[in-house]
Amino acid sequence: MRILVVEDNHRLNSSLQMNLTHEGYSVDTAFDGQEGQDLAELTPYDLIILDILLPAKNGLEVCRDLRRRRIHTPILLLTARDSVNDRVQGLDYGADDYLVKPFAMRELLARLRALLRRNHPYTSGRLEFGDLIVDPVTHIVERDRRTIDLTPKEFALLEYFMYHPDQVVTREMIEQHIWNYDFECSSNVIDVYVRRLRRKIDDPFEVKLLTTIRGIGYRLAQPQRERV
């Protein structure tokens, strides 16, 4: 999942980026409201972490303008203001959740997972497709009751496929959601990672789930049974 962090405190911005990257998210950062809004309008992020007190343009205005432009990406507001009126104002401007500073990183991560689940039909937290199970919290992957070890990038790629089952996922979609702007994606890096993932989740098993759609991308799908 690709996340945008808009926070003018460089230390906090760096800490958020480091922790989110460690959790397997792809992260872009901005340090003022206008830069953050520009990135949010250009890129289909899965979630935005937005401070309120920002230079150039405050977070409430950014939130309001994104909603006016019909950008419905979930937004988590960060602020030191903790009054009821402040929280109500943030939600009325279009935010989906509100977290008061200082906060525990565990709580922020839990809120992110809850917001991401709202846009997907997985309410239990675990992602299941046939005998393949992915737990976004523990990063445990199992198939046919066998644990599969994945690198953080392989996990992020599989998680993205699991959020889009039976759908054709293009290479451009994968690049936009799994890698950030700081990464220069070569022509075949996505194919390399898909091959690595396939070797782990498909090759050891009789039923193959990850298929290549020639010239387009990939699809996580159950194989169609042959008609008798």
Side-chain angles (χ1 to χ4, degrees):
M1 295 293 144
R2 190 169 181 179
I3 294 176
L4 174 63
V5 174
V6 189
E7 168 61 62
D8 63 323
N9 183 307
H10 284 249
R11 185 174 180 180
L12 179 55
N13 192 309
S14 177
S15 176
L16 288 169
Q17 182 181 29
M18 180 182 67
N19 280 279
L20 291 170
T21 301
H22 178 73
E23 292 294 319
Y25 297 106
S26 177
V27 184
D28 292 318
T29 61
F31 295 92
D32 68 63
Q34 189 59 59
E35 180 188 13
Q37 181 172 330
D38 292 342
L39 285 171
E41 292 178 358
L42 288 171
T43 308
Y45 290 103
D46 296 288
L47 191 139
I48 299 170
I49 299 175
L50 180 64
D51 188 26
I52 290 182
L53 297 178
L54 293 167
K57 191 171 187 177
N58 75 56
L60 292 177
E61 293 174 340
V62 172
C63 188
R64 178 196 61 197
D65 289 348
L66 290 177
R67 297 309 188 221
R68 286 178 174 175
R69 288 168 171 77
R70 300 185 183 278
I71 295 174
H72 302 298
T73 305
I75 295 175
L76 172 62
L77 286 179
L78 301 180
T79 182
R81 299 175 176 175
D82 61 353
S83 72
V84 173
N85 287 339
D86 289 325
R87 292 196 293 271
V88 169
Q89 185 181 32
L91 296 172
D92 283 345
Y93 268 68
D96 297 272
D97 202 356
Y98 194 106
L99 189 58
V100 177
K101 301 176 184 177
F103 54 82
M105 189 59 62
R106 288 177 58 194
E107 181 181 2
L108 180 134
L109 293 172
R111 288 177 181 268
L112 294 190
R113 291 191 295 268
L115 288 173
L116 290 169
R117 284 198 301 270
R118 292 181 187 178
N119 291 336
H120 301 283
Y122 300 100
T123 56
S124 67
R126 294 202 319 174
L127 311 179
E128 300 184 14
F129 189 80
D131 59 355
L132 180 61
I133 300 173
V134 175
D135 191 325
V137 178
T138 62
H139 283 204
I140 292 176
V141 177
E142 295 180 347
R143 183 165 185 197
D144 194 22
R145 299 183 180 180
R146 293 164 56 182
T147 301
I148 301 172
D149 293 325
L150 300 180
T151 67
K153 192 61 69 177
E154 290 167 352
F155 182 89
L157 181 59
L158 176 59
E159 185 181 31
Y160 188 67
F161 280 125
M162 294 288 282
Y163 275 123
H164 300 84
D166 298 312
Q167 300 178 35
V168 176
V169 176
T170 67
R171 290 172 177 83
E172 181 182 17
M173 291 166 64
I174 294 172
E175 181 179 347
Q176 288 179 340
H177 286 270
I178 306 301
W179 280 272
N180 59 24
Y181 279 120
D182 294 330
F183 182 81
E184 294 184 4
C185 194
S186 62
S187 58
N188 69 334
V189 68
I190 293 173
D191 297 326
V192 170
Y193 273 96
V194 171
R195 283 199 298 270
R196 292 177 181 174
L197 181 62
R198 183 180 277 135
R199 281 200 295 265
K200 295 182 178 182
I201 69 166
D202 264 352
D203 288 357
F205 304 94
E206 181 179 354
V207 177
K208 313 303 179 185
L209 300 177
L210 192 55
T211 59
T212 300
I213 310 300
R214 190 175 298 276
I216 302 176
Y218 307 93
R219 179 168 57 205
L220 185 71
Q222 295 282 2
Q224 295 182 351
R225 295 181 179 179
E226 296 183 0
R227 295 182 179 177
V228 179

